[in-house]
Amino acid sequence: MTVEQGQSPETWLARALGSHDAETHGVVPGIHPATTFLRGGDLTYPGLVYARPANPTFATPEALLSKLEGAAESLLFGSGMAAATAVFQALQPGDHVVAPKVMYWALRRWLKQFCAHWGLGLDLVDMTDSDAIAAAVRPGRTRIVWVETPANPTWDITDLAAAADIAHRAGARLVVDNTVPTPLLTRPIEHGADIVMHAATKYLNGHSDVLMGTLSVATPDAFWQRIRGVRGDLGGIPGPFEAWLLLRGMRTLALRVDKACANAQAVAEHFHGHPRSAGILYPGLPDHPGHGIAARQMRGGFGGMLSLRVAGGEAAAVRAAARLQLWTRATSLGGVESLVEHRASVEGPDSPCPPDLLRLSCGIESAADLIADLEQALAP
């Protein structure tokens, strides 16, 4: 570590590890749009060959993310789904996967289809129950135990250290979707994870204007090289401008996550026990079933995501969402603006989401204003 880089994640982020434009000495790293690169006179390449395997603009955000996650290497992908699916595409037919019943719905849907088509075994389990995970793994055949914690949209908590132990004893890798907590709140590799995934569209970028995903690895082994090959061969990479925008967004990550956590905690506490609430799902509340585990493996807050179950059922929840004026009715999460979704209607009939649930992504507005808008929306 250099003095320029600093000792704290906040400093790494704000200074982008001290990066600047080497050619112009600008304090902001440059964008490299080239898709092909010059050969030497002997027809060898002194550097990169082509933009599909890699681009120079990727180097700084990948290095910064690796530093934040305590990872050996990181890779940028064109979307969160491109990153997540690359892990499974690196498996062999006959391998087995254990994944959560409650997880990002589009990945769960894709997994069901892909595993059947690719000849992979798949078990979806309750990841809050370590015994259920242990019962699902098949030693010698299970290759991936996939965990999302807190789990979207009910914010269940998985014990990462326990899941890692179960996975490793079975000869499998633990892969963790760390999108919601970000590495500022949870560093899965410290708890035994092998690979960490982010939908970087969300908190890492944080401005709802970039589509991107990432993977970070503890040890770049042969399986990681297969993932790298999937990215290069299938072309699931972002453009250089998007990579540059990601880096720009990451520089304010610490400020945004801190404010989102504070807002979520304030909203959760205000509506906990509220007469028009049928329940608040947020690991920052002491009576949340996973609060103790979350307090142990998260630091600096419990995330900016929570869900409100509306008294009166689905009709009341949909009505409340329609009446909101400040909260924006839109898909996604982790941006500076606060978003709301009625998840059951988005996910469809196989959703594990209760029909009275509104998913709330807290942005960086005034907590008092967010609470007031919810109050008027829930009013009779």
Side-chain angles (χ1 to χ4, degrees):
M1 185 214 65
T2 67
V3 173
E4 186 179 37
Q5 290 176 349
Q7 296 183 358
S8 303
E10 294 88 346
T11 303
W12 305 339
L13 287 160
R15 297 187 58 77
L17 296 179
S19 297
H20 60 277
D21 188 289
E23 186 72 23
T24 67
H25 305 291
V27 298
V28 177
I31 303 172
H32 299 272
T35 58
T36 191
F37 301 88
L38 183 67
R39 286 179 184 261
D42 60 357
L43 302 183
T44 62
Y45 283 101
L48 297 175
V49 175
Y50 191 65
R52 181 158 44 81
N55 180 287
T57 317
F58 299 176
T60 299
E62 287 179 346
L64 179 55
L65 182 59
S66 294
K67 183 84 169 175
L68 291 169
E69 289 286 7
E73 291 181 9
S74 295
L75 294 172
L76 302 187
F77 289 79
S79 67
M81 281 294 287
T85 57
V87 174
F88 301 102
Q89 290 176 88
L91 295 173
Q92 300 294 325
D95 289 344
H96 177 251
V97 173
V98 177
K101 288 181 178 178
V102 177
M103 63 185 297
Y104 175 48
W105 74 283
L107 182 57
R108 183 181 66 242
R109 181 185 60 184
W110 179 87
L111 265 178
K112 291 179 179 179
Q113 297 169 351
F114 177 78
C115 287
H117 175 73
W118 197 250
L120 300 177
L122 174 65
D123 280 298
L124 301 177
V125 304
D126 177 0
M127 285 287 176
T128 67
D129 184 349
S130 295
D131 291 338
I133 302 173
V137 298
R138 304 175 189 177
R141 187 182 168 206
T142 302
R143 301 303 179 196
I144 296 294
V145 175
W146 184 279
V147 168
E148 180 181 328
T149 184
N152 183 2
T154 56
W155 316 117
D156 297 336
I157 300 296
T158 299
D159 186 326
L160 291 176
D165 181 61
I166 293 167
H168 295 158
R169 283 191 283 109
R173 292 172 177 82
L174 181 70
V175 185
V176 178
D177 182 342
N178 203 34
T179 298
V180 168
T182 81
L184 295 178
L185 304 183
T186 304
R187 299 179 85 197
I189 289 173
E190 291 182 350
H191 301 279
D194 300 285
I195 298 175
V196 179
M197 174 263 174
H198 286 273
T201 306
K202 314 311 197 239
Y203 285 101
L204 292 186
N205 171 61
H207 293 81
S208 303
D209 57 8
V210 169
L211 194 65
M212 198 173 301
T214 69
L215 293 174
S216 302
V217 69
T219 303
D221 56 10
F223 184 70
W224 178 252
Q225 298 313 317
R226 290 205 297 274
I227 291 173
R228 182 185 288 277
V230 169
R231 182 182 79 157
D233 293 341
L234 300 186
I237 64 168
F241 183 62
E242 287 75 17
W244 184 87
L245 282 175
L246 172 66
L247 182 64
R248 185 179 70 168
M250 289 176 71
R251 297 178 80 157
T252 61
L253 179 65
L255 297 174
R256 292 184 285 100
V257 167
D258 186 62
K259 179 61 173 173
C261 287
N263 280 350
Q265 189 73 40
V267 171
E269 291 177 357
H270 180 87
F271 288 99
H272 185 240
H274 191 281
R276 296 186 185 91
S277 167
I280 293 291
L281 309 181
Y282 185 63
L285 294 176
D287 62 354
H288 185 282
H291 176 75
I293 296 172
R296 184 174 74 243
Q297 65 190 25
M298 300 178 77
R299 60 181 186 276
F302 295 91
M305 299 298 301
L306 70 158
S307 291
L308 166 66
R309 298 189 65 177
V310 179
E314 181 174 9
V318 172
R319 174 177 175 270
R323 295 178 66 182
L324 286 165
Q325 300 171 16
L326 180 60
W327 294 80
T328 301
R329 291 180 297 277
T331 290
S332 200
L333 55 95
V336 294
E337 62 284 302
S338 293
L339 305 179
V340 61
E341 269 198 315
H342 180 252
R343 288 303 303 173
S345 60
V346 171
E347 296 185 15
D350 65 342
S351 172
C353 186
D356 60 2
L357 182 147
L358 295 179
R359 188 185 75 177
L360 306 176
S361 171
C362 292
I364 64 172
E365 305 95 336
S366 158
D369 289 345
L370 295 174
I371 289 169
D373 191 29
L374 283 166
E375 282 282 6
Q376 68 80 24
L378 292 168

